[in-house]
Amino acid sequence: MRRISRITVAGAATASLALALSACGGTSTSSGSSESKESKGLAIAYDVGGKGDQSFNDAAFAGLEKAKKEFGYETADVEPTDGETDADKEQRLVSLAKQGYNPIVGVGYAYASAVKGAAEKFPDTTFGIVDDATVEAKNVADLVFSEEQASYLAGVAAAKSTKTDVVGFVGGVDIPLIHKFRAGFEQGVKDTDPKVKVISQFLTQTAEEGGFSSPDKGKSAAEGQIEKKADVVYAAAGLSGQGVIEAAAANKVWAIGVDSDQYQQEALAKYKDSILTSAMKDVAKAVYNLAKSVEDGKPATGIVKGDLKTGEVSLSNSNPKFADDAELQKAIETAKEKIISGEIKVKSS
């Protein structure tokens, strides 16, 4: 073990404090121990949208919370800042490494350059990056998912649920990652019912334009698709997806959430009856598993991929109207089995 014993940790007092990192956004830390550097563990740096997005970032925080509870160590989570550069992101990670946190996870592909730079400076610290497979280093874990597989199942659900034979897809930013969501969704729809039309739209060309952080943009896009008769709308747009869900609820059509089980999100509670299901990827599990690998003295590195077979992508069953629809559930389970067996090859672009 690289840290103090479980007995020492368990008996320590709990404390919370807020720290400021220059040029690094806001940070919150929480400790389960009176020790300092030796008891520091997982730290995460949020993607655009930050904590409270009810989606991607909050899933990462759930993984951090599980690690903190299980391992009893100090953790940190750091917010992004508006207009920040790759250098700002790298400085954020470097600051966490200097404080002794290990592992450190950049939440989102935008951290690729920063993770690479920080990992070179701190070769004895394990870094993780979510949704990027381009960083190759002995101390970096690329935490990626087969989003197209869960999106295919979302497409099956949409095709089986539409009454107008028109469904919509709203992507946050026009990038390869979001193309995976769209490709899987469109294939799932067409394989299920070729006559169903899919209307697809990306909110912005770059993340800096607010594609992942602007609920108003998501709402406007969804309203446009609903005007064109879409009665099921799937959003892969981070915080912007909240606007899609709001528009769906206002117009009494179905929304399909993303990343987390959005039916269960407190901030979306008033819209939950309009959330058919969510195409989930278990960012929480991936973040926790990386922390556990470090805690066990066997840090994970290289590409670590979650898919339907591993259970790290899936559809949520929280909405009773979705879970209790036997015909719909049978169609989804059949598609899932065929994807896992390789009978169905899901496109990623």
Side-chain angles (χ1 to χ4, degrees):
M1 287 293 296
R2 64 186 176 84
R3 301 194 180 93
I4 56 179
S5 70
R6 294 284 190 276
I7 294 174
T8 302
V9 173
T14 300
S16 296
L17 65 154
L19 301 177
L21 296 176
S22 61
C24 295
T27 303
S28 63
T29 67
S30 55
S31 174
S33 167
S34 59
E35 300 287 339
S36 57
K37 186 172 182 177
E38 283 302 308
S39 64
K40 287 184 177 178
L42 175 63
I44 60 176
Y46 293 118
D47 198 1
V48 291
K51 186 177 177 181
D53 67 347
Q54 311 301 319
S55 182
F56 185 72
N57 289 300
D58 282 359
F61 180 71
L64 178 141
E65 286 286 274
K66 182 178 180 182
K68 180 178 70 173
K69 181 178 180 180
E70 183 164 331
F71 306 134
Y73 54 33
E74 184 176 335
T75 60
D77 56 307
V78 191
E79 293 286 353
T81 57
D82 292 337
E84 67 185 20
T85 64
D86 287 344
D88 294 329
K89 290 183 175 68
E90 183 174 333
Q91 177 56 33
R92 176 177 304 134
L93 302 184
V94 164
S95 177
L96 291 167
K98 285 180 177 178
Q99 293 175 64
Y101 290 100
N102 187 21
I104 298 167
V105 178
V107 184
Y109 69 92
Y111 274 94
S113 176
V115 165
K116 182 178 180 180
E120 289 174 353
K121 291 181 175 69
F122 292 86
D124 295 330
T125 298
T126 296
F127 291 83
I129 180 167
V130 179
D131 279 351
D132 183 88
T134 66
V135 184
E136 298 180 6
K138 291 181 179 180
N139 59 328
V140 175
D142 298 311
L143 310 176
V144 294
F145 303 85
S146 296
E147 294 95 349
E148 70 277 7
Q149 294 182 350
S151 294
Y152 184 101
L153 299 185
V156 174
K160 298 290 286 185
S161 301
T162 181
K163 292 180 172 60
T164 63
D165 288 341
V166 181
V167 300
F169 171 81
V170 177
V173 181
D174 189 0
I175 54 173
L177 172 64
I178 306 303
H179 295 172
K180 292 170 67 179
F181 288 91
R182 181 182 69 171
F185 181 69
E186 290 180 345
Q187 186 181 347
V189 170
K190 292 300 181 182
D191 284 357
T192 304
D193 190 343
K195 72 176 182 292
V196 176
K197 179 181 179 182
V198 182
I199 304 171
S200 293
Q201 179 180 346
F202 294 102
L203 298 179
T204 63
Q205 293 298 306
T206 67
E208 289 73 20
E209 295 171 279
F212 291 133
S213 56
S214 306
D216 58 324
K217 293 182 188 295
K219 182 178 180 181
S220 178
E223 288 172 342
Q225 293 182 349
I226 293 167
E227 287 177 4
K228 295 175 181 177
K229 305 298 184 185
D231 62 350
V232 184
V233 184
Y234 173 39
L239 184 65
S240 299
Q242 292 191 30
V244 174
I245 292 170
E246 181 182 352
N251 289 276
K252 301 188 185 307
V253 303
W254 286 120
I256 296 178
V258 76
D259 292 342
S260 299
D261 183 356
Q262 298 198 295
Y263 183 91
Q264 298 283 9
Q265 295 287 354
E266 185 176 344
L268 299 173
K270 62 183 176 181
Y271 309 126
K272 72 177 187 178
D273 289 340
S274 296
I275 302 173
L276 180 66
T277 181
S278 295
M280 300 189 297
K281 60 181 181 184
D282 204 340
V283 174
K285 183 177 180 180
V287 168
Y288 165 80
N289 282 346
L290 180 61
K292 187 176 189 303
S293 76
V294 173
E295 183 73 6
D296 291 344
K298 298 178 180 179
T301 60
I303 294 176
V304 182
K305 192 165 191 175
D307 56 17
L308 283 177
K309 187 174 183 179
T310 67
E312 289 177 57
V313 300
S314 61
L315 284 190
S316 63
N317 272 325
S318 297
N319 190 331
K321 290 183 179 179
F322 176 76
D324 296 341
D325 188 326
E327 181 183 349
L328 177 54
Q329 291 298 320
K330 182 178 179 180
I332 290 169
E333 187 60 31
T334 298
K336 178 181 176 180
E337 291 172 357
K338 288 182 177 180
I339 292 170
I340 292 174
S341 72
E343 184 177 344
I344 293 177
K345 305 290 187 183
V346 184
K347 299 175 184 177
S348 58
S349 62

